Amino acid sequence: MQGCIDAFSLLNHSFFSPRKTFYCGLLAAAVAVSSPVFADSNSDKFHVAYQAYQSAVDAKDNQQILLMAAQVYKLGESVYAKDSADFAALTMNWARALSHNTSRTFARDNDKRQQANALYQQALKIYQHLYGDDSVQLIDALLGMAATEKSPAHADSVYRNAIDIAEDNHDQLLAASIKMTAFHDLYGSSAYTRSVRDYAFEAYDVFKEKLAVDAVSRVETEFEVAKIYFIERKYAAAEPLFLDVVKQFSVLKYSHPYALSAHAMLVKLYQQQNNPDKATEHCLAIGRMTPWKENQEQTPLFRVPPEYPRTAAKRLQDGWVQLEFTIDKDGFVKDPKVLQWEGSKAFEASSIKALERWRYAPKFENGEPVAATSRVQLDYKINR
């Protein structure tokens, strides 16, 4: 039984666990269409609207992109044949605008997502008619469908279809990229199975063979594989991969989010292996990374909850402890002191024992690590 602390989940925190989508081909940008063959009022209106759409894309104005993509699609219905590649491109563009920043997990996105999914299916049928069922031209529509499927299980099925097409066309890099897209999309969902987990390993094997050692896709996939090993407590396998991520991104002028994450994971790994000296190295590295301000507040990297004292548990006692402590320039907790407490006196000793194991990226002033004080409240509550 454990006490509760203010939540800080290293593996799920948005800063330390960035999500990467490996888009393939046309999904990464607006799809271009050819000019209408016949000059009439409809084609003139279409031309003006399409120019406005392209301007919105260049300006990255998502609201205007959505507005103009819908208008261009509707005007395109009277300009292009419904089974043409150009009309399929208009369909894809509107679908992408609708699905931008939507998620299958949020109800407020439901209408947009369903509409986008229907458009992706419409584009897919056109591409199947034009190119056949096994053509790589289908893949962008399939990826869009998968990303907008309400059911993770249905999304998984569509991703598998796209992977099969890429592999049937002997395009290993494309298949690996799709696997990473599927891995990120399905991670943590009800469709996250052993086979989805293995997508990351299969993609990493391909990237190691096909890409340069410092290729971004390869290094980011290496991080994902390392994180899987870490979660599975295979620390000996995770450590060299995290270290390589740090090494490959260290040459950049800025600090890549995956490098920040790798340092943070190494802090936790070394703390769990009772190797605080190595953890210190990575605490300091995080504090010095480029995106962080020269005057940066201390940031928690590794926390363990306190053990619930047996005497308090037997008595069904709840309570809390407020503590003040110093975080030294190496990120260690020093001199924890109890300010106030409620409940069992045993909560004090348990809190101090847990706190002494915590690690932080230290506070920085003018680019140099300094000691700083901090406070925290640890809550103890019995599940009745």
Side-chain angles (χ1 to χ4, degrees):
M1 187 177 297
Q2 296 178 325
C4 302
I5 65 172
D6 49 328
F8 182 90
S9 175
L10 184 63
L11 294 179
N12 296 320
H13 195 277
S14 60
F15 179 79
F16 288 109
S17 185
R19 291 175 65 85
K20 169 74 174 177
T21 301
F22 290 73
Y23 286 120
C24 305
L26 302 179
L27 278 184
V31 185
V33 299
S34 60
S35 298
V37 176
F38 302 103
D40 57 26
S41 60
N42 285 334
S43 62
D44 289 343
K45 291 178 182 177
F46 173 85
H47 179 75
V48 172
Y50 190 72
Q51 290 297 321
Y53 166 74
Q54 289 182 315
S55 296
V57 171
D58 292 339
K60 298 181 180 178
D61 184 341
N62 293 326
Q63 185 174 356
Q64 189 68 8
I65 289 172
L66 178 58
L67 178 66
M68 296 314 301
Q71 185 174 335
V72 168
Y73 172 88
K74 292 170 183 176
L75 287 170
E77 288 181 310
S78 61
V79 174
Y80 296 107
K82 296 292 185 65
D83 59 353
S84 68
D86 286 322
F87 189 71
L90 299 179
T91 307
M92 289 285 293
N93 286 339
W94 191 18
R96 290 189 65 251
L98 283 164
S99 59
H100 181 74
N101 286 340
T102 63
S103 167
R104 69 171 61 92
T105 60
F106 291 98
R108 66 174 179 270
D109 297 331
N110 190 53
D111 291 341
K112 280 186 179 180
R113 190 185 61 247
Q114 287 185 347
Q115 188 178 7
N117 187 268
L119 289 167
Y120 282 126
Q121 291 188 48
Q122 180 182 349
L124 178 66
K125 290 179 181 178
I126 297 172
Y127 290 135
Q128 287 173 324
H129 170 73
L130 293 173
Y131 306 113
D133 291 337
D134 300 316
S135 172
V136 292
Q137 279 85 354
L138 277 57
I139 286 178
D140 283 344
L142 287 169
L143 293 182
M145 283 176 56
T148 53
E149 284 285 350
K150 183 176 181 180
S151 163
H154 291 164
D156 184 26
S157 177
V158 178
Y159 281 127
R160 290 176 189 276
N161 190 4
I163 292 167
D164 288 343
I165 290 174
E167 291 179 340
D168 288 345
N169 282 273
H170 308 289
D171 194 331
Q172 290 181 291
L173 281 174
L174 179 58
S177 294
I178 299 169
K179 286 178 181 180
M180 287 310 299
T181 299
F183 171 82
H184 283 289
D185 189 29
L186 301 175
Y187 183 84
S189 75
S190 58
Y192 185 71
T193 60
R194 183 77 180 186
S195 62
V196 174
R197 174 257 194 204
D198 290 345
Y199 284 163
F201 289 84
E202 294 164 6
Y204 183 48
D205 287 341
V206 172
F207 290 152
K208 282 194 296 183
E209 179 185 351
K210 301 288 185 181
L211 300 180
V213 67
D214 59 349
V216 172
S217 293
R218 170 175 170 169
V219 183
E220 290 179 344
T221 304
E222 182 177 32
F223 172 82
E224 297 297 346
V225 170
K227 190 170 71 171
I228 293 170
Y229 278 138
F230 180 89
I231 293 169
E232 295 175 353
R233 300 181 181 275
K234 298 175 182 177
Y235 300 137
E239 180 185 4
L241 298 181
F242 282 133
L243 289 171
D244 191 57
V245 171
V246 169
K247 175 184 175 183
Q248 297 306 327
F249 283 132
S250 66
V251 300
L252 298 177
K253 293 181 180 180
Y254 66 96
S255 297
H256 193 284
Y258 278 64
L260 293 170
S261 296
H263 279 301
M265 300 292 277
L266 284 164
V267 170
K268 190 165 186 177
L269 186 153
Y270 290 135
Q271 282 296 127
Q272 291 182 345
Q273 292 181 329
N274 294 317
N275 196 336
D277 290 338
K278 283 190 175 181
T280 297
E281 174 187 343
H282 296 281
C283 285
L284 294 175
I286 287 173
R288 291 192 175 105
M289 296 190 101
T290 303
W292 290 32
K293 300 175 183 178
E294 282 197 356
N295 299 320
Q296 175 67 44
E297 293 302 315
Q298 60 268 28
T299 305
L301 299 178
F302 175 78
R303 291 180 176 180
V304 293
E307 292 185 4
Y308 215 110
R310 291 184 179 180
T311 54
K314 288 180 180 178
R315 296 172 184 170
L316 299 180
Q317 280 186 300
D318 296 335
W320 49 266
V321 180
Q322 291 180 354
L323 304 103
E324 183 177 78
F325 54 95
T326 298
I327 300 165
D328 71 13
K329 65 180 183 178
D330 293 327
F332 286 97
V333 171
K334 300 291 185 181
D335 303 321
K337 298 175 182 177
V338 174
L339 301 177
Q340 300 181 67
W341 63 276
E342 186 176 286
S344 172
K345 181 72 173 177
F347 291 154
E348 291 189 34
S350 182
S351 297
I352 290 174
K353 184 178 179 181
L355 204 64
E356 288 174 339
R357 294 181 59 195
W358 289 16
R359 296 302 307 275
Y360 285 75
K363 180 176 181 176
F364 276 69
E365 291 183 352
N366 300 317
E368 295 296 326
V370 297
T373 59
S374 187
R375 290 187 178 187
V376 72
Q377 176 171 310
L378 302 184
D379 297 313
Y380 293 81
K381 187 174 181 61
I382 291 288
N383 293 324
R384 292 180 172 84

